Amino acid sequence: MKTLRFVLGDQLTRDLSSLKGIDPKRDVVLMAEVADETTYVRHHKQKIVFILSAMRHFAADLRAEGITVDYIALDDPANTGSFTGELTRAIRRHKPDRVVVTEPGEWRVRQMIDSWGAEFSVPIQMLEDDRFFCKLGQFAAWAEGRKQLRMEFFYREMRRSTGILMAGDKPAGGEWNYDSENRKKLPASYTPPRRKRFPPDAITRDVADMVATRFAGHFGDLEAFGWPVTRADALKALDHFIDTALSGFGDYQDAMKEGEAFLHHSLLSPALNAGLLTAREVCAAAEAAWAEGRAPLNAVEGFIRQILGWREYVRGLYWLKMPAYAQTNALNAVRPLPWFYWSGETEMNCLRQCIAETKAHAYAHHIQRLMVLGNFALLAGIAPAEVEDWFLVVYADAYDWVELPNVHGMILWADGGYLASKPYAASGAYIDRMSNYCSGCAYDVKAKSGPKACPFNYLYWDFLSRNTATLEGNPRLGMPYRNLAKMTPERRHEIASDAERFLETLES
Ligand code: FAD
Ligand code: DLZ
Ligand code: SF4
């Protein structure tokens, strides 16, 4: 049976379900660069270069194996610009007996593929994406009957079912979670490990030239592009992380430092999400480093929790709750996204640094996304759809299945607490404790009110005050609400007017 195997841009894995059992003599792999995908949001230039270059390298690897790849380039004059259009043309060219595709990562594309059955006379077979630890049905069974989902309990189930970091039926080292050891500030004299940069080769440079022209108006710089775009380089990036950065991952996971975009983070998310690395091999490499005494347990457990826990959890939740999930707005946040998220022009040094690094690298680490960029959007009451759009645009690792739950649920609490038990709201004191941003800021992190005070300080109380009806009963917010209740009416008025004055100055 002649099979047309359609491989999407984030499915660049040799043992992908849709490539299993391929017959190189008869079958054809279809890969298509399409305008719909490069522009459904105005992706950061580096994200487009990363995906298209990784696709071209993957196609070359398949061809080197003797597999026929029908590869449609973005600038092919006959390119229709859509997955459906390119499949239509490919079916005409190859006349397959069936089309096979692995289920896509995004709801938007899933709807499109679901419509193909009625559109084409050739049978379309959609196969499970088995690159994740947790099958979607397994997640749904775990979630069944729970009013709220909690990552920590899901993570323990995943540890048990995979045996990762387990000693029999007990967690390795006796604890499930070593987060209490993972909140250290960087010492003043500390030098973080160097990032391994992969200089663009001829294929990447070709794509970059095309992107620089065709997507000139998109956010982001191309100069610092250094992402691995092949599986071989992604494996080198994994080794480099394990050798140089993993041992400090736990201790410094929450730290931020001006001028240091990467610290002890792995930078593996673009490769993982596009399929150049699998979650299983990344977790196995980290576990082996611990077993060989090359990294401490708090670092390895903390790192594995991000992948075996958070990554699997947000994917399960996305597919369980879409499309309704994206529609909620539990805190009725309606403010437009401030313009400085694009321009970086703000006096708030923490935001300015995180946005500049995002623009330069299509990357910011988790705490920058959560506690600076996300925290501000939460406190300022920015409309969820606008924040989601920004996060989907600006990061090389951004896909709806992972971005949406992190933004909608984790940072904005727009799902009313389904994903996170309380909003991750924090005043300037948190940012001051975990970074050196405040020493270079026009605002005073210690001042609570007035034009020079750190905006996070009064916005934090204003946020709690504005959302009293929704959040006061939350058991995890008992202490701040008791403190708010103790404030005099004058102090509360001062907070509200500082917040109003500041928010009015934001240009959208
Ligand atoms: P490391 O810190 O080295 O972590 C290791 C791996 O764990 C990551 O590569 C990633 O695969 C996984 N991981 C860590 N945290 C999460 C998480 N919360 N959810 C899912 N996976 C996680 N991650 C994305 O891959 N794509 C996104 O679009 C994305 N958007 C985010 C938006 C917000 C508001 C927040 C708070 C987090 C978001 N994350 C997203 C999660 C996380 O910030 C990134 O995965 C991480 O910063 C990637 O850098 P790294 O590879 O150096 O990660
Ligand atoms: C992100 C992306 C981009 C920018 N371009 C393409 C493309 O031209 N062709 C392609 O097959 N995939 C691309 N992708 C990744 C897809 O958006 C991704 O496969 C779907 O969103 C499904 O998750
Ligand atoms: Fe950010 Fe406030 Fe610190 Fe300035 S003072 S860097 S705004 S936390």
Side-chain angles (χ1 to χ4, degrees):
M1 184 186 283
K2 180 173 180 176
T3 305
L4 182 63
R5 299 171 185 271
F6 197 176
V7 173
L8 309 183
D10 57 355
Q11 300 183 337
L12 310 179
T13 314
R14 181 58 187 89
D15 66 354
L16 188 75
S17 53
S18 62
L19 290 175
K20 279 182 188 140
I22 188 165
D23 178 347
K25 288 199 201 76
R26 221 174 21 195
D27 296 349
V28 175
V29 171
L30 172 66
M31 297 180 72
E33 300 175 0
V34 292
D36 275 5
E37 296 306 306
T38 53
T39 52
Y40 71 88
V41 290
R42 291 163 62 84
H43 306 282
H44 192 298
K45 294 187 198 83
Q46 285 194 31
K47 181 177 175 191
I48 305 179
V49 174
F50 168 71
I51 291 285
L52 300 193
S53 175
M55 285 175 67
R56 290 180 186 196
H57 282 94
F58 187 73
D61 288 349
L62 292 179
R63 282 180 181 141
E65 272 188 57
I67 293 171
T68 306
V69 182
D70 187 1
Y71 192 96
I72 313 302
L74 197 61
D75 51 12
D76 180 335
N79 192 325
T80 56
S82 73
F83 284 149
T84 306
E86 285 318 295
L87 182 60
T88 309
R89 291 199 315 128
I91 289 174
R92 268 192 229 125
R93 276 194 300 277
H94 303 292
K95 303 187 179 35
D97 300 308
R98 62 168 186 161
V99 173
V100 165
V101 60
T102 294
E103 62 189 351
E106 301 197 338
W107 178 261
R108 179 182 62 81
V109 181
R110 171 71 195 240
Q111 278 182 303
M112 191 191 308
I113 295 178
D114 283 344
S115 73
W116 288 348
E119 205 151 330
F120 299 108
S121 49
V122 180
I124 310 281
Q125 212 179 334
M126 186 162 62
L127 303 176
E128 185 181 42
D129 188 347
D130 57 11
R131 295 174 298 171
F132 291 86
F133 288 102
C134 186
K135 288 175 184 288
L136 296 177
Q138 187 188 345
F139 189 88
W142 173 77
E144 174 97 45
R146 293 173 199 251
K147 265 208 195 124
Q148 298 175 320
L149 303 185
R150 291 294 165 258
M151 198 291 290
E152 185 61 31
F153 299 122
F154 168 76
Y155 168 57
R156 291 178 192 182
E157 288 292 317
M158 294 306 294
R159 292 271 296 276
R160 286 194 192 95
S161 67
T162 58
I164 294 177
L165 289 183
M166 294 296 291
D169 60 354
K170 298 270 184 311
E175 304 289 336
W176 290 105
N177 179 318
Y178 293 88
D179 237 4
S180 57
E181 297 174 27
N182 291 358
R183 290 174 196 144
K184 297 204 176 87
K185 252 191 114 148
L186 293 168
S189 61
Y190 193 75
T191 316
R194 288 294 114 205
R195 179 195 189 199
K196 187 168 177 62
R197 185 170 175 268
F198 296 87
D201 65 2
I203 294 181
T204 304
R205 287 197 302 273
D206 258 8
V207 178
D209 287 347
M210 189 249 295
V211 168
T213 316
R214 186 164 173 156
F215 303 101
H218 283 213
F219 177 82
D221 306 330
L222 279 173
E223 287 70 24
F225 187 98
W227 297 107
V229 293
T230 62
R231 171 153 172 80
D233 279 351
L235 285 169
K236 283 186 201 149
L238 171 61
D239 285 350
H240 181 79
F241 165 68
I242 300 278
D243 290 345
T244 63
L246 174 64
S247 59
F249 180 90
D251 286 356
Y252 303 124
Q253 194 181 338
D254 289 3
M256 297 175 280
K257 186 174 179 186
E258 189 164 330
E260 294 293 347
F262 311 121
L263 298 173
H264 283 264
H265 293 274
S266 68
L267 318 183
L268 294 176
S269 52
L272 264 168
N273 294 349
L276 300 179
L277 293 173
T278 67
R280 285 189 188 84
E281 70 196 345
V282 173
C283 289
E287 189 175 21
W290 169 66
E292 291 156 13
R294 293 195 287 137
L297 187 55
N298 73 311
V300 172
E301 185 283 314
F303 179 71
I304 286 178
R305 181 166 9 102
Q306 307 311 313
I307 297 175
L308 182 62
W310 279 110
R311 188 169 184 270
E312 297 285 325
Y313 175 73
V314 299
R315 177 190 183 243
L317 191 146
Y318 177 82
W319 285 107
L320 187 68
K321 287 288 163 190
M322 279 300 278
Y325 191 71
Q327 304 308 319
T328 54
N329 188 357
L331 299 178
N332 296 316
V334 293
R335 189 176 300 282
L337 187 80
W339 177 245
F340 70 70
Y341 271 80
W342 300 113
S343 68
E345 286 162 9
T346 165
E347 301 270 276
M348 287 174 284
N349 191 38
C350 52
L351 282 158
R352 192 169 64 236
Q353 297 301 328
C354 294
I355 293 164
E357 287 171 1
T358 298
K359 188 163 174 281
H361 303 295
Y363 179 85
H365 72 64
H366 186 68
I367 293 301
Q368 296 176 306
R369 298 188 204 195
L370 179 66
M371 299 309 293
V372 179
L373 298 157
N375 185 23
F376 184 85
L378 171 75
L379 300 186
I382 316 290
E386 300 218 2
V387 187
E388 283 146 27
D389 182 67
W390 187 83
F391 275 95
L392 195 55
V393 164
V394 301
Y395 294 114
D397 58 25
Y399 298 87
D400 203 41
W401 67 266
V402 54
E403 172 274 325
L404 184 76
N406 272 296
V407 174
H408 199 82
M410 194 175 327
I411 67 170
L412 298 180
W413 215 75
D415 64 359
Y418 193 65
L419 180 145
S421 55
K422 75 173 180 72
Y424 282 86
S427 68
Y430 176 89
I431 295 171
D432 192 29
R433 194 162 60 246
M434 296 316 303
S435 77
N436 64 351
Y437 292 143
C438 300
S439 58
C441 187
Y443 294 105
D444 177 358
V445 71
K446 303 273 186 261
K448 306 285 176 240
S449 60
K452 280 283 145 204
C454 166
F456 281 96
N457 291 344
Y458 47 78
L459 289 178
Y460 172 76
W461 291 111
D462 186 59
F463 166 80
L464 289 177
S465 180
R466 270 192 343 257
N467 292 295
T468 301
T470 316
L471 297 177
E472 193 177 28
N474 185 315
R476 296 195 60 203
L477 292 174
M479 173 79 95
Y481 271 107
R482 279 194 293 282
N483 289 338
L484 186 65
K486 281 188 219 147
M487 288 179 187
T488 61
E490 293 74 28
R491 174 68 187 126
R492 291 182 74 136
H493 177 72
E494 187 178 41
I495 288 167
S497 60
D498 273 336
E500 193 183 336
R501 171 188 45 76
F502 174 81
L503 292 171
E504 271 175 5
T505 65
L506 297 178
E507 263 182 74
S508 59

